[in-house]
Amino acid sequence: MYDLIRGRAEGLRERMAGFASGLIRIPSVSLDEGKAAEAVEKEMLALGYDKVFRDGNGNVAGIIFGREAKPVLLLCSHLDTVSPEGKAWTKGAYSGAAEGGRIYGAGASDCKGGTAAQIYAGALLKKSLLPFRGTLVVAATVAEENGRSVGLRGLLSGTLPGMGC
């Protein structure tokens, strides 16, 4: 079983890295994440998530349903970055350059790389065809870098409870 999952993960590696690079190329400073959210929504749909939507705050959530509704596992990251202005960028803030097994640019580690990894973890679960109990929610929230986590708060207090999660 492990070899099967590992093989499928290896098969998704290049596509995931390409998506992460593309996401980094989209400027998305806090409160201006719309284009990045659109890219995430399209990628989740292309990967076969069971349900994909944006809530009233601008968060994107993708859902993969298991055999039962509960428990719910949430993988959550954020789309916004701090402003790259005034920082020394060797590859360019929005280059998304891949070199030596690394991807460079604003949000590569905080948190667009993590967003791509979580989206593809969900896709791997879906492609593995393993029966699982519960629901997987993969969310990419907005307005985290401002220190108030407005997107996450809205997701947890309104969106997910409204869906029964």
Side-chain angles (χ1 to χ4, degrees), residues 2-163:
Y2 173 76
D3 288 336
L4 173 73
I5 293 172
R6 190 174 88 193
R8 289 180 190 237
E10 286 297 321
L12 291 173
R13 180 187 295 260
E14 283 188 41
R15 184 173 171 186
M16 180 185 67
F19 174 68
S21 288
L23 197 56
I24 291 164
R25 285 193 283 280
I26 301 170
S28 60
V29 296
S30 199
L31 303 178
D32 191 18
E33 304 96 340
K35 289 182 181 175
E38 183 178 319
V40 166
E41 188 175 19
K42 285 181 182 177
E43 193 71 5
M44 286 177 163
L45 288 167
L47 289 167
Y49 275 68
D50 296 325
K51 184 175 183 179
V52 179
F53 63 94
R54 276 197 247 186
D55 69 10
N57 292 305
N59 300 313
V60 181
I63 301 173
I64 298 173
F65 297 108
R67 294 176 297 169
E68 300 171 24
K70 303 281 181 175
V72 176
L73 174 64
L74 171 64
L75 300 179
C76 189
S77 58
H78 62 91
L79 293 172
D80 58 328
T81 65
V82 296
S83 174
E85 294 179 29
K87 296 183 174 67
W89 293 93
T90 58
K91 308 274 185 216
Y94 300 114
S95 72
E99 188 177 295
R102 295 175 187 222
I103 301 174
Y104 296 87
S109 64
D110 182 20
C111 189
K112 292 181 177 183
T115 298
Q118 289 178 353
I119 290 167
Y120 275 79
L124 180 60
L125 177 65
K126 180 87 172 165
K127 289 181 184 304
S128 73
L129 302 176
L130 293 172
F132 67 97
R133 198 182 89 207
T135 301
L136 175 65
V137 178
V138 179
T141 63
V142 298
E144 188 274 344
E145 290 291 353
N146 64 15
R148 295 196 174 109
S149 299
V150 174
L152 178 60
R153 289 173 189 261
L155 184 77
L156 295 176
S157 68
T159 303
L160 294 180
M163 298 175 50

